[in-house]
Amino acid sequence: MTSSLLNPMVAVHRVAASGPDDVAGLERLVETGTLDPSGIVAILGKTEGNGCVNDFSRGFATQSLKLFLHRHIGPDAAASVCLVMSGGTEGALSPHWIVFERKHVKEFGQGPALAMGSAITPPLAAEHLGRRAQVEMVAEGVRLAMDRARIADPAEVHFVQIKCPLLTAARVTEADGRGFATATRDTLKSMGLSRGASALGVAVALGELQMDAIAEVAIGADMGLWSGRASTSAGIEIMGHEILVLGMSGEWSGPLRIDHAVMTDAADIEPVRAALGRLGFDGPGQLGAEERARVRAVLAKAEASRTGTVRGMRHTMLDDSDISATRHARAFVAGVLAGTVGLTDLFVSGGAEHQGPDGGGPVAIIAERG
Amino acid sequence: MTSSLLNPMVAVHRVAASGPDDVAGLERLVETGTLDPSGIVAILGKTEGNGCVNDFSRGFATQSLKLFLHRHIGPDAAASVCLVMSGGTEGALSPHWIVFERKHVKEFGQGPALAMGSAITPPLAAEHLGRRAQVEMVAEGVRLAMDRARIADPAEVHFVQIKCPLLTAARVTEADGRGFATATRDTLKSMGLSRGASALGVAVALGELQMDAIAEVAIGADMGLWSGRASTSAGIEIMGHEILVLGMSGEWSGPLRIDHAVMTDAADIEPVRAALGRLGFDGPGQLGAEERARVRAVLAKAEASRTGTVRGMRHTMLDDSDISATRHARAFVAGVLAGTVGLTDLFVSGGAEHQGPDGGGPVAIIAERG
Amino acid sequence: MTSSLLNPMVAVHRVAASGPDDVAGLERLVETGTLDPSGIVAILGKTEGNGCVNDFSRGFATQSLKLFLHRHIGPDAAASVCLVMSGGTEGALSPHWIVFERKHVKEFGQGPALAMGSAITPPLAAEHLGRRAQVEMVAEGVRLAMDRARIADPAEVHFVQIKCPLLTAARVTEADGRGFATATRDTLKSMGLSRGASALGVAVALGELQMDAIAEVAIGADMGLWSGRASTSAGIEIMGHEILVLGMSGEWSGPLRIDHAVMTDAADIEPVRAALGRLGFDGPGQLGAEERARVRAVLAKAEASRTGTVRGMRHTMLDDSDISATRHARAFVAGVLAGTVGLTDLFVSGGAEHQGPDGGGPVAIIAERG
Amino acid sequence: MTSSLLNPMVAVHRVAASGPDDVAGLERLVETGTLDPSGIVAILGKTEGNGCVNDFSRGFATQSLKLFLHRHIGPDAAASVCLVMSGGTEGALSPHWIVFERKHVKEFGQGPALAMGSAITPPLAAEHLGRRAQVEMVAEGVRLAMDRARIADPAEVHFVQIKCPLLTAARVTEADGRGFATATRDTLKSMGLSRGASALGVAVALGELQMDAIAEVAIGADMGLWSGRASTSAGIEIMGHEILVLGMSGEWSGPLRIDHAVMTDAADIEPVRAALGRLGFDGPGQLGAEERARVRAVLAKAEASRTGTVRGMRHTMLDDSDISATRHARAFVAGVLAGTVGLTDLFVSGGAEHQGPDGGGPVAIIAERG
């Protein structure tokens, strides 16, 4: 199906989901020939659970997507597809899938295009989780995925999505048995540490931070260290890291481009407006219907600032014992983004340790050329 | 203290609150002579409860504000101050008070200025709540408050805040005893009916709707009927209506102006941008620091659309049994507004029956002249 | 596999689940020969979602159980297994499966034993949901299931678990198209009506109520009408009713017995103690470890009283906008039952319209002979 | 009003509250002469907030009770009344006040009676919070309160209610300024440490633990160390400790007695039944109406076990990101207690660090002689 005479291109399909198990929209894409299941590299899902510990919408979605993939490409090929489920469609956010498909086209497009590359790291020893060893392993994996995406210049990378491991009681015990202490024995805390160390690995690979500048105690603690292009989530089902690099490359074709912004606080929309401008959206206010049709995906991280304030004014997200701060943050940042982009099926996810500055976060936009 | 040679003006003080009982900021305004307690006409409070049935932050704030007013102007004068507490500071919303003070100034300002007028209606018989009789009573009250605000043209009214009654079991029984059936026996439902009928009363007074066009069965049901300038909330402590009209009048002085917009859905920021433009804020993106300093108050209503969609995309607010839809809607709309205004101490409140179109809502902005 | 020389018996397996997709415990029962998958008649699951609208733990569990059944008995046989998932393991409740297996044994046991029978009704026309026609259809289905359970005397029926349909927008529209109006257009409300009408159908079949005594307007409204042995839940995936009758019959063998109680309010444990006594548990306090080992399943319904009080004291369940009243009720009633039974893997479910008196509910206990 | 010829006695008034500001029931007791406000030593309030960080029902109740006390005994006397508000009336729990009044009676009662004594410790330096110095300070305070209660034998003490301080950012900074590091910089965590250290102080005073056995690192960590009679809560408004000791003493008169039990897990009702037996309630099941009338107060602590299990079965309280584990635990334990006591206005509170074994907790019962 592929040929060395053809150029690779990325197709991005954003598909509404009526529930965590609703793959009907994906089936329709396959039936109409819009999507070739054998080209699927990754599926991101914004599912409607609480995005916290007891969010079963993620597992339900994963199981449903796997059944979909099994039907079309069999279990073996399905196993290599990266599935990243992010729970939480607070506010007017709309549940959806984002499918990244690798296609091939004959003609070169005009200039560089959206490129992607993936990599899977070896399993991480439990005692390395949340420590410098994890940072280094991820940095190496990101470099490999960049190679595969044929992106040489780190400045051309705009988003790195990583699924990273977490600790379970069994894994902690196993490390104990080998004589090694893990960074934490708390499962929930291990998720934050793993997300944070993975994000720092991205920062190292992209030259945002030097490895030397990252002390072990700074992981999960010094929020002054961050990547503006990392988005990481922890999953119980893996022991290594699944890495998806998105960027621009002259060796890829097709109509899509990607750019990114870093919000410095929850209301900081100007960098996003600037990124939209670089992608050719240059109106003063919200994108109009035609412009919105050109947007393929908006990927963002959101988190309540640890300072308890936004622009000097107190927020109450961290003190609300009825609603998790991550849910508040997603709803609000979704509104900030929707006000400018005009869409509500935005991939806004939480848990932004070392992913953008405290209270802010990275935002990537994939859009068709104007 | 007042004199016929002086012109009335409205001062609007927006003050941060560290909790529902934090009146320290108000005390400081009094101490420094910035606020004369005897001129207080109304205090709006955005408090940090859930904004739903068991939100004690509102009652706690009301009790605390009353103690503040008692200390400064005594119980009798305090009783005439309109206190409207709106619970819910979801997302990055910041708890705050908005004090409306009537002052007098010697010189005329340049052209019309922010004007206000209040009225209190007679008690509403329980059987009239949620029915045309309530609509008519509120319409009459709004006209009286307009007179007092010296606003003759309804087009000059930009926001009407109303506190309206609700039914309790005792009030239903009392009506029963007189041989009258109430519109509902459900206390919670009576709140929505009362808010809705009050909003329709505003629409009638402002000429947005004709009284003839409002069938009794349409109240609380036909969301195609609405006012673009009403904001209503129900409170157990009153039997009549407390009405505060805000608009522009040539007979008032001072630096403040008001304008309003109607959002047609939860992400519809363009009408707000237009209103900001009319108020002299004409940049392309978010207000900058100097512009933000000119903004005195942003008052908005937010509610999840009953259709279950925003711009054709499904939202999950009405299906979330863990978080009330009103909390989702406030968080999201707050983000939409903050993205443009750049502030987080916004008075975004829920319960928007007949206040703007389904899923949208009115927004008023009070700002200093540029 | 069966023979007319053998007697039927019911085996009940209570199996812990570490998550909605954890069927490992069931697999172990199969591997060890304890459970023959071809004999499975029904699986009840107490899953750990919120038990409300957006509880995906139920769908996730159902999908996982179906995959389990497909592996062992194929899709066709799997389709006839009744799967009833009840979300909500509040308080110390423990997620678990209860498998009802039909076995055959050579020797008669001593006297009557636990019997079961199932039936599936024809599809219910949407306009009949929540109306007398549904009551009658269910009553007929219960009688058929009793026949199959070889229980002639309604007094020998102790629990009837029913899965009933609900309305969707599409089903309402379809009825509209045929010229029929449904009892409600509100999906959530249709669930309560369907549960309630189904429970009344049980009451009619068991002679607890006469069909004549049930006015159409009383369905979902007059909580003085109820069955003390019905447990119903609504599911979107079916259009008819899946009915499981549990009772005592001399034509069944085996060591298990069943009895039931009706709690008249949320703290009313004495009827449960009496039922335990009839089952041979006659100690003064909580069951001891040996007695607990004899208990196979405890099935109960719980709901907050609409009066807002328990024994004259106010409860706050209906006013809590942060936690659904059904979650409060399950947690509390679970505690009441656990205090006496000493177990926490109890099948306590909510949504108890016409299932026991207001604020109370039916409780069935299946236990081995002493 | 008092005289050396008279004997002290404790009157305990349990009064329903329709909201956090409802003191009408207390006013009625005063009006009818049942309660002499000048004798009030402490008021415990079970209020209907979430019992977590943003529970404003506690502050609202405290402000309302202070206004009540100011009206009757003036601000100075009011300041010495111990007010302990515990948020959270989950399940069927009913909001109420428990007033402890010191009275005097002429005749000696028959034998020992309920005795109480209070003490206030000096302010605790911030750096001592959660450390052995706090344990020692509380132990000394408990001994002083025992003296005042005229209880010499620690075995006669059945419940010690303590209100203890917490750290704020300002207090941490103040300690920093003096060159001392606090045990934590996390406000929320400081509440648990303070509750835990205070409970250990009770254990030391009552001889349940030796001071030597309590290592500094064990505070908040080693849940094998606990008091079976401590109930502690942290409040921002105090810097020292308010201590209320309840027990039996031959030097007190009146009809009331107190006893206590320690539940070893969330379902462990047998020790409570034993305590009820010692108080003369000796029936096999739930207390009947006459017996319930003799119960004045039930005071209990509840908390989810850190092991994640109850009697070997998994619970989901710690994994529920929608409902705080403390809310789950209160609802469930309330049910366990209500099943036996038959009442729902029980003072069940959370945050049980070092107060009973992990997952269990102390229960005290005050009742009239039979």
Side-chain angles (χ1 to χ4, degrees):
Chain A
M1 186 177 293
T2 70
S3 144
S4 60
L5 295 177
L6 296 175
N7 290 308
M9 72 163 267
V10 186
V12 177
H13 310 274
R14 195 168 84 253
V15 183
S18 69
D21 58 340
D22 176 28
V23 297
L26 301 179
E27 294 285 6
R28 270 191 300 275
L29 289 186
V30 174
E31 284 161 22
T32 58
T34 311
L35 168 66
D36 176 357
S38 68
I40 297 176
V41 170
I43 306 179
L44 273 57
K46 193 94 229 29
T47 64
E48 58 205 279
N50 61 24
C52 303
V53 178
N54 63 328
D55 180 348
F56 300 108
S57 71
R58 292 177 306 217
F60 193 16
T62 299
Q63 190 180 68
S64 302
L65 289 172
K66 280 185 178 163
L67 291 170
F68 162 78
L69 292 170
H70 288 190
R71 280 194 296 274
H72 291 288
I73 58 174
D76 288 346
S80 74
V81 174
C82 181
L83 301 176
V84 181
M85 300 301 112
S86 165
T89 54
E90 291 80 8
L93 281 175
S94 191
H96 64 283
W97 314 115
I98 304 175
V99 184
F100 290 89
E101 180 192 6
R102 189 184 167 104
K103 276 184 163 8
H104 293 83
V105 285
K106 269 196 192 146
E107 73 282 22
F108 270 84
Q110 69 274 55
L114 174 62
M116 69 177 169
S118 62
I120 294 179
T121 72
L124 181 78
E127 65 271 24
H128 290 165
L129 186 145
R131 290 181 171 148
R132 294 182 87 241
Q134 186 179 13
V135 177
E136 286 171 337
M137 178 184 278
V138 169
E140 197 167 333
V142 172
R143 285 186 207 107
L144 176 59
M146 284 174 61
D147 267 2
R148 291 175 176 170
R150 307 188 205 171
I151 303 177
D153 181 358
E156 294 297 331
V157 173
H158 290 285
F159 208 66
V160 183
Q161 180 70 47
I162 294 181
K163 197 163 158 192
C164 54
L166 52 82
L167 295 179
T168 59
R171 292 171 189 175
V172 171
T173 306
E174 181 272 341
D176 285 348
R178 288 183 290 106
F180 293 101
T182 53
T184 179
R185 304 182 78 83
D186 178 332
T187 299
L188 186 61
K189 206 175 163 190
S190 81
M191 296 175 75
L193 283 174
S194 185
R195 284 192 301 257
S198 297
L200 292 173
V202 175
V204 168
L206 302 187
E208 297 172 289
L209 291 172
Q210 298 302 314
M211 194 64 218
D212 293 351
I214 303 171
E216 199 134 294
V217 295
I219 300 173
D222 179 357
M223 292 305 151
L225 303 174
W226 47 269
S227 166
R229 289 170 271 173
S231 171
T232 65
S233 71
I236 198 172
E237 70 276 28
I238 55 172
M239 281 308 297
H241 302 79
E242 297 182 7
I243 298 173
L244 178 70
V245 162
L246 298 170
M248 294 296 290
S249 165
E251 301 187 41
W252 290 65
S253 292
L256 298 185
R257 290 196 290 163
I258 185 171
D259 210 317
H260 81 278
V262 177
M263 295 172 71
T264 59
D265 66 32
D268 186 28
I269 195 64
E270 288 302 312
V272 178
R273 284 173 38 80
L276 285 168
R278 291 192 297 274
L279 288 167
F281 300 100
D282 45 14
Q286 191 177 77
L287 302 194
E290 278 183 39
E291 292 177 304
R292 294 201 291 264
R294 284 172 43 208
V295 176
R296 285 302 157 82
V298 178
L299 309 161
K301 296 291 287 196
E303 200 161 60
S305 67
R306 299 187 178 199
T307 59
T309 61
V310 175
R311 304 184 178 188
M313 299 304 298
R314 182 168 72 101
H315 68 71
T316 61
M317 296 188 269
L318 297 174
D319 290 336
D320 190 337
S321 306
D322 299 312
I323 301 181
S324 160
T326 54
R327 304 200 72 182
H328 278 292
R330 275 191 298 267
F332 185 84
V333 172
V336 171
L337 292 171
T340 285
V341 181
L343 296 170
T344 58
D345 43 350
L346 309 166
F347 193 84
V348 182
S349 70
E353 298 87 352
H354 299 305
Q355 297 151 67
D358 179 44
V363 180
I365 303 157
I366 299 174
E368 230 174 294
R369 271 170 234 276
Chain B
M1 185 178 293
T2 70
S3 142
S4 60
L5 296 176
L6 296 176
N7 290 309
M9 72 163 269
V10 185
V12 177
H13 310 274
R14 196 169 83 252
V15 183
S18 68
D21 58 339
D22 176 27
V23 297
L26 301 179
E27 293 285 7
R28 270 192 299 276
L29 289 186
V30 174
E31 283 162 22
T32 58
T34 311
L35 169 65
D36 176 357
S38 68
I40 298 175
V41 169
I43 305 179
L44 273 57
K46 192 96 230 25
T47 65
E48 58 203 277
N50 61 23
C52 304
V53 178
N54 63 328
D55 180 348
F56 301 108
S57 71
R58 292 177 305 217
F60 194 15
T62 299
Q63 190 180 68
S64 301
L65 288 171
K66 280 185 179 163
L67 291 171
F68 162 79
L69 292 169
H70 288 190
R71 281 194 295 276
H72 291 288
I73 58 174
D76 289 345
S80 73
V81 174
C82 181
L83 301 175
V84 181
M85 300 300 111
S86 165
T89 55
E90 291 81 8
L93 282 176
S94 192
H96 63 284
W97 315 115
I98 304 174
V99 184
F100 290 89
E101 180 192 7
R102 190 185 166 103
K103 275 184 166 359
H104 292 83
V105 285
K106 266 196 196 150
E107 72 281 21
F108 271 84
Q110 67 274 53
L114 174 62
M116 70 177 167
S118 61
I120 295 178
T121 72
L124 181 79
E127 65 271 22
H128 290 164
L129 186 144
R131 291 180 170 149
R132 295 181 87 241
Q134 187 180 13
V135 177
E136 285 172 336
M137 179 184 276
V138 168
E140 196 167 333
V142 171
R143 285 185 207 108
L144 176 60
M146 283 173 63
D147 268 1
R148 289 174 178 170
R150 305 187 205 173
I151 303 177
D153 181 359
E156 294 297 331
V157 173
H158 290 286
F159 208 66
V160 183
Q161 179 71 48
I162 295 182
K163 198 165 160 191
C164 54
L166 53 81
L167 294 180
T168 60
R171 291 171 191 175
V172 171
T173 307
E174 182 272 341
D176 285 346
R178 287 184 291 105
F180 293 101
T182 52
T184 181
R185 305 182 78 84
D186 178 331
T187 299
L188 186 61
K189 205 174 162 192
S190 80
M191 297 175 73
L193 284 175
S194 186
R195 285 192 300 258
S198 297
L200 292 173
V202 174
V204 168
L206 302 187
E208 297 172 289
L209 291 172
Q210 298 302 313
M211 193 64 218
D212 293 350
I214 303 171
E216 200 133 292
V217 294
I219 301 173
D222 179 356
M223 292 306 152
L225 303 174
W226 47 268
S227 167
R229 289 169 270 172
S231 172
T232 65
S233 70
I236 198 171
E237 69 276 29
I238 55 171
M239 281 307 298
H241 302 79
E242 296 182 8
I243 299 172
L244 179 69
V245 161
L246 298 170
M248 293 296 288
S249 167
E251 300 187 41
W252 290 66
S253 293
L256 297 184
R257 289 195 291 164
I258 186 171
D259 210 317
H260 81 279
V262 177
M263 295 172 71
T264 59
D265 65 33
D268 187 28
I269 196 65
E270 288 302 310
V272 178
R273 284 174 38 81
L276 285 167
R278 292 192 297 273
L279 288 166
F281 300 100
D282 45 14
Q286 191 177 76
L287 303 193
E290 278 183 39
E291 291 177 305
R292 294 201 291 263
R294 284 170 45 208
V295 175
R296 284 305 157 79
V298 177
L299 309 162
K301 295 292 286 197
E303 200 161 60
S305 68
R306 299 187 179 200
T307 59
T309 61
V310 176
R311 302 182 178 190
M313 299 304 298
R314 183 168 71 102
H315 67 71
T316 61
M317 297 188 269
L318 297 174
D319 289 336
D320 190 336
S321 305
D322 299 313
I323 301 182
S324 161
T326 54
R327 305 200 72 180
H328 278 292
R330 275 191 297 267
F332 185 83
V333 172
V336 171
L337 292 171
T340 285
V341 180
L343 297 170
T344 58
D345 44 347
L346 307 166
F347 192 84
V348 181
S349 70
E353 297 87 353
H354 300 304
Q355 298 151 67
D358 179 44
V363 181
I365 304 157
I366 299 173
E368 232 174 291
R369 271 169 234 278
Chain C
M1 187 176 291
T2 68
S3 143
S4 60
L5 296 177
L6 295 175
N7 290 309
M9 72 164 267
V10 186
V12 177
H13 310 274
R14 196 169 82 252
V15 183
S18 69
D21 58 340
D22 177 27
V23 296
L26 301 179
E27 294 286 7
R28 269 192 300 276
L29 289 186
V30 175
E31 283 161 23
T32 58
T34 311
L35 168 66
D36 175 356
S38 68
I40 298 176
V41 170
I43 306 179
L44 274 57
K46 193 93 231 21
T47 64
E48 58 203 278
N50 61 24
C52 303
V53 178
N54 63 329
D55 180 348
F56 301 108
S57 72
R58 293 177 305 217
F60 194 15
T62 299
Q63 191 178 69
S64 302
L65 289 171
K66 280 185 179 164
L67 290 171
F68 161 80
L69 291 169
H70 288 189
R71 280 193 296 276
H72 291 288
I73 57 175
D76 288 345
S80 74
V81 174
C82 181
L83 301 176
V84 180
M85 301 299 112
S86 165
T89 54
E90 292 80 8
L93 281 176
S94 193
H96 64 284
W97 314 115
I98 304 174
V99 184
F100 290 89
E101 179 192 8
R102 189 184 167 105
K103 277 184 168 354
H104 293 84
V105 285
K106 268 196 195 148
E107 73 281 22
F108 271 86
Q110 68 276 51
L114 174 62
M116 69 178 168
S118 62
I120 295 179
T121 72
L124 181 78
E127 66 270 24
H128 290 164
L129 186 144
R131 290 182 170 146
R132 295 181 87 242
Q134 187 179 14
V135 177
E136 285 170 338
M137 179 184 277
V138 169
E140 197 168 331
V142 171
R143 284 185 208 108
L144 176 60
M146 283 173 61
D147 267 2
R148 290 174 178 171
R150 306 188 205 172
I151 304 176
D153 181 357
E156 294 297 331
V157 174
H158 290 285
F159 208 65
V160 183
Q161 180 71 47
I162 294 182
K163 198 165 161 190
C164 54
L166 51 82
L167 294 180
T168 59
R171 292 171 189 175
V172 171
T173 306
E174 181 271 340
D176 284 347
R178 288 184 289 105
F180 292 101
T182 53
T184 180
R185 305 183 77 84
D186 177 331
T187 299
L188 186 61
K189 205 174 161 191
S190 80
M191 297 174 75
L193 283 176
S194 186
R195 286 193 299 258
S198 297
L200 292 174
V202 175
V204 168
L206 302 187
E208 297 172 290
L209 290 173
Q210 298 303 313
M211 193 65 218
D212 294 349
I214 303 172
E216 200 133 291
V217 295
I219 301 173
D222 179 356
M223 292 305 152
L225 303 174
W226 47 268
S227 166
R229 289 169 271 172
S231 172
T232 66
S233 71
I236 197 171
E237 70 276 28
I238 55 172
M239 280 309 298
H241 302 79
E242 298 182 7
I243 299 172
L244 179 69
V245 161
L246 298 171
M248 293 296 289
S249 166
E251 301 186 41
W252 290 65
S253 292
L256 298 184
R257 289 195 292 163
I258 185 170
D259 210 316
H260 81 277
V262 177
M263 295 172 72
T264 59
D265 66 34
D268 187 28
I269 195 63
E270 288 302 311
V272 178
R273 285 174 36 82
L276 285 167
R278 292 191 297 273
L279 288 166
F281 302 100
D282 46 13
Q286 191 176 78
L287 302 193
E290 279 183 40
E291 291 177 305
R292 295 201 290 262
R294 284 172 43 209
V295 175
R296 285 302 156 82
V298 177
L299 308 162
K301 296 291 287 197
E303 199 161 61
S305 67
R306 301 187 177 199
T307 59
T309 61
V310 176
R311 301 184 179 188
M313 298 304 298
R314 184 169 70 101
H315 67 71
T316 62
M317 298 188 267
L318 297 174
D319 289 337
D320 190 336
S321 305
D322 299 312
I323 301 181
S324 159
T326 54
R327 304 200 73 181
H328 277 293
R330 275 191 296 267
F332 185 84
V333 172
V336 171
L337 292 171
T340 284
V341 181
L343 297 170
T344 58
D345 44 351
L346 308 166
F347 193 84
V348 182
S349 69
E353 298 87 351
H354 299 305
Q355 297 150 66
D358 180 44
V363 181
I365 303 157
I366 299 172
E368 230 173 292
R369 272 169 232 277
Chain D
M1 186 178 291
T2 70
S3 144
S4 61
L5 295 177
L6 296 176
N7 290 309
M9 74 163 267
V10 186
V12 177
H13 310 274
R14 195 169 84 252
V15 182
S18 68
D21 58 339
D22 177 26
V23 297
L26 301 179
E27 293 286 5
R28 270 192 299 276
L29 289 186
V30 175
E31 283 161 23
T32 57
T34 311
L35 168 66
D36 175 357
S38 68
I40 298 175
V41 170
I43 305 179
L44 273 57
K46 192 95 233 16
T47 64
E48 58 203 277
N50 61 23
C52 304
V53 178
N54 64 328
D55 180 347
F56 301 107
S57 72
R58 293 178 304 219
F60 193 17
T62 299
Q63 191 179 67
S64 302
L65 288 171
K66 279 185 179 163
L67 291 171
F68 162 79
L69 292 168
H70 287 190
R71 280 193 296 275
H72 290 289
I73 59 175
D76 289 347
S80 73
V81 174
C82 181
L83 300 176
V84 180
M85 299 301 111
S86 164
T89 54
E90 291 81 8
L93 282 174
S94 192
H96 64 284
W97 314 114
I98 304 174
V99 184
F100 290 89
E101 180 191 7
R102 189 184 167 104
K103 276 183 165 1
H104 292 84
V105 285
K106 267 195 193 148
E107 71 282 22
F108 271 84
Q110 67 274 52
L114 175 63
M116 70 178 168
S118 61
I120 295 178
T121 72
L124 181 78
E127 66 270 23
H128 290 164
L129 186 144
R131 289 180 171 149
R132 295 182 87 243
Q134 186 179 15
V135 177
E136 285 172 336
M137 179 184 275
V138 169
E140 196 167 332
V142 172
R143 285 184 208 108
L144 177 59
M146 284 174 61
D147 267 3
R148 290 174 177 171
R150 305 186 204 174
I151 303 176
D153 181 358
E156 294 297 332
V157 173
H158 290 285
F159 208 65
V160 182
Q161 179 71 48
I162 294 183
K163 199 166 159 190
C164 54
L166 51 83
L167 294 180
T168 60
R171 290 170 190 174
V172 171
T173 307
E174 181 271 341
D176 285 346
R178 287 184 290 105
F180 292 101
T182 53
T184 180
R185 304 182 78 84
D186 177 331
T187 301
L188 186 61
K189 205 174 162 191
S190 80
M191 296 174 75
L193 284 175
S194 185
R195 284 193 300 257
S198 297
L200 292 173
V202 174
V204 167
L206 302 187
E208 297 171 289
L209 291 172
Q210 298 303 312
M211 194 64 218
D212 294 349
I214 303 171
E216 201 132 290
V217 294
I219 300 173
D222 179 356
M223 292 305 151
L225 303 174
W226 47 268
S227 166
R229 289 169 272 171
S231 171
T232 65
S233 70
I236 198 172
E237 69 276 29
I238 55 171
M239 282 306 300
H241 303 77
E242 297 182 8
I243 298 171
L244 178 70
V245 162
L246 297 171
M248 294 294 289
S249 166
E251 301 187 41
W252 290 66
S253 292
L256 298 185
R257 290 196 291 164
I258 185 170
D259 210 316
H260 81 277
V262 177
M263 294 171 73
T264 59
D265 66 33
D268 186 29
I269 195 64
E270 288 302 311
V272 178
R273 284 174 37 82
L276 286 167
R278 292 191 296 274
L279 288 167
F281 301 100
D282 45 15
Q286 192 178 76
L287 302 193
E290 278 182 39
E291 291 176 306
R292 295 201 290 263
R294 282 171 45 208
V295 175
R296 285 302 156 81
V298 177
L299 308 162
K301 296 292 286 197
E303 200 162 59
S305 67
R306 300 187 177 201
T307 59
T309 60
V310 176
R311 302 183 179 188
M313 298 305 297
R314 184 169 71 102
H315 67 72
T316 61
M317 297 187 269
L318 298 174
D319 290 336
D320 190 336
S321 305
D322 299 312
I323 301 182
S324 160
T326 54
R327 304 200 72 181
H328 278 292
R330 276 191 296 268
F332 185 83
V333 172
V336 172
L337 292 170
T340 286
V341 181
L343 297 171
T344 58
D345 44 349
L346 308 165
F347 193 85
V348 181
S349 68
E353 299 88 351
H354 299 304
Q355 298 151 68
D358 179 44
V363 181
I365 303 157
I366 300 173
E368 231 173 291
R369 272 169 233 278

